Amino acid sequence: PGCFSATSSPLLPLLLSSSHSAPRPSLGTLPMRSLARALFSPSAASAAATSIHRRAAESLSAAWPWAGRSFSSHAKPPCFLNEEWTSLPLLRTAEVNHDTKLMEFELPQEESLRLPVCACLLLKAPGIGEGGEDVIRPYTPISDDRRKGSFELLVKVYEQGQASKYLGRIGNGTMVDFKHIPFNVKEQYPFNRSSIVMLAGGTGITPMFQALQCIFREDGFDNETKVTLLYGNKSQKDILLRDQLERLREDNKDRFEIIHILSEESWSGETGFIDAEKIKKYCPEPSEDQFVFVCGPPPMYEVLCGPRGEKEVVGVLNDLGYSSSGVVKF
């Protein structure tokens, strides 16, 4: 209920013609006599419907790139970017703190990025690798996926980071290559869980913020979901998106809790690292109606849940009873 496949009905072109602005498959390609038989003659329905089904699917596949995917009532068109590299101009750059920049890239005026939530983009830094090779890195936009005309990336410039150093020195107007591949799509919004635990370190806050914007939309689908965010940084000046996170907490006091943890600064809040003690202190107990999102530097994965590229959950989260099916490694 509320969901259908783009090839599930021979009558789909008729149904979609009144509700989509994309190019329509031509009804002239469908055998209308067979259509009538399929509708009104039970004895002929099977053969006619099979023929119409096949030809409708072919027409839809040609007309819409996303034909054949499953859509629900809250689905959106595919991402503006696809699996081919697309060059987009850098519009502007703003300093966020001592080592982080906010970078805005231009889209066509009436286009939004429409990136699935949660997902990242791939960015190409040309010719800066060993032997002049291109360097490709994932970045998660922090701007609303519905925003038209541009999107924003939060970029921490690491001393040893090839792609981030490239981004740190380019100027406005520079064309930068991006693409979006299905492999980079993680757990999808709406998450349909009563609670979500977010464990983030440094720039690992970006996919969390991407998800939070959807969870706390007034017209959102997860409007009962409660979120607990444990966010680790070296010092207060390293806390990214602090003001934005505080506004979300202020607007959703009964559903959103943030615990900042600093590893290299003494202050009134939590210190050290995200560990078993803090997870037990602040987070709800493991449940089947729950997700745990993890994103941060490699040592954080090793301690909390095991390597990012492995589905199996080990370490602290496994010891505390969180299952592999409920832990999402970004």
Side-chain angles (χ1 to χ4, degrees):
C3 183
F4 62 90
S5 166
T7 56
S8 64
S9 168
L11 301 180
L12 190 60
L14 291 173
L15 297 174
L16 291 182
S17 63
S18 62
S19 59
H20 286 267
S21 59
R24 316 289 197 265
S26 171
L27 290 178
T29 63
L30 299 178
M32 300 307 292
R33 183 175 300 175
S34 296
L35 176 61
R37 287 177 179 171
L39 288 171
F40 304 114
S41 175
S43 62
S46 178
T50 298
S51 173
I52 299 168
H53 187 173
R54 175 180 58 78
R55 297 184 66 177
E58 292 170 354
S59 297
L60 280 169
S61 179
W64 287 303
W66 56 92
R69 290 175 50 189
S70 291
F71 285 85
S72 63
S73 58
H74 53 264
K76 59 186 177 184
C79 182
F80 171 78
L81 298 170
N82 55 32
E83 296 184 56
E84 301 296 326
W85 290 109
T86 299
S87 296
L88 299 173
L90 174 62
L91 277 178
R92 60 185 63 88
T93 301
E95 301 291 332
V96 174
N97 62 17
H98 62 103
D99 65 358
T100 305
K101 298 176 180 290
L102 183 67
M103 309 188 77
E104 183 180 3
F105 292 89
E106 187 175 12
L107 294 169
Q109 186 174 6
E110 293 302 316
E111 285 284 356
S112 57
L113 185 59
R114 302 186 302 274
L115 184 68
V117 176
C118 298
C120 62
L121 301 175
L122 292 181
L123 178 149
K124 182 198 295 183
I128 66 170
E130 186 176 349
E133 293 184 351
D134 298 336
V135 172
I136 299 171
R137 293 289 184 270
Y139 283 91
T140 303
I142 62 165
S143 46
D144 192 305
D145 62 294
R146 302 168 297 182
R147 171 177 174 163
K148 292 185 178 181
S150 69
F151 65 91
E152 293 177 333
L153 299 182
L154 198 60
V155 178
K156 183 179 283 289
V157 181
Y158 297 97
E159 176 128 5
Q160 305 300 322
Q162 293 175 310
S164 66
K165 286 174 69 175
Y166 160 77
L167 290 172
R169 67 173 181 260
I170 64 174
N172 293 348
T174 302
M175 302 299 291
V176 179
D177 286 345
F178 293 93
K179 69 178 178 179
H180 167 58
I181 60 175
F183 177 79
N184 287 330
V185 177
K186 301 297 183 180
E187 195 63 42
Q188 287 293 277
Y189 172 82
F191 305 115
N192 298 314
R193 293 293 187 275
S194 64
S195 74
I196 296 177
V197 172
M198 296 182 172
L199 309 177
T203 54
I205 193 63
T206 56
M208 310 301 177
F209 188 68
Q210 185 189 60
L212 288 168
Q213 290 180 90
C214 288
I215 293 171
F216 295 126
R217 282 176 184 166
E218 291 185 3
D219 58 349
F221 293 90
D222 284 337
N223 52 17
E224 300 296 327
T225 301
K226 295 185 177 182
V227 180
T228 305
L229 168 63
L230 272 59
Y231 185 21
N233 283 284
K234 293 179 181 180
S235 66
Q236 291 191 65
K237 68 179 181 181
D238 293 300
I239 299 174
L240 301 174
L241 300 171
R242 188 173 187 174
D243 291 343
Q244 293 90 328
L245 291 170
E246 291 300 329
R247 282 197 293 271
L248 283 176
R249 173 161 63 178
E250 185 65 25
D251 293 341
N252 302 276
K253 292 179 179 179
D254 59 334
R255 297 175 53 205
F256 185 30
E257 183 179 12
I258 311 170
I259 298 88
H260 292 289
I261 304 165
L262 304 182
S263 62
E264 297 183 6
E265 180 181 331
S266 296
W267 72 321
S268 59
E270 291 284 356
T271 58
F273 299 92
I274 299 174
D275 54 25
E277 180 182 356
K278 295 180 184 66
I279 293 173
K280 287 192 292 185
K281 180 178 179 179
Y282 293 107
C283 301
E285 294 185 356
S287 163
E288 292 184 1
D289 192 23
Q290 175 189 73
F291 276 132
V292 180
F293 292 168
V294 183
C295 191
M300 181 174 160
Y301 288 99
E302 294 292 339
V303 171
L304 294 180
C305 57
R308 177 185 177 190
E310 297 179 8
K311 175 63 178 175
E312 181 185 6
V313 171
V314 296
V316 168
L317 291 179
N318 179 66
D319 295 342
L320 293 176
Y322 295 93
S323 66
S324 297
S325 62
V327 175
V328 182
K329 305 177 186 181
F330 288 91

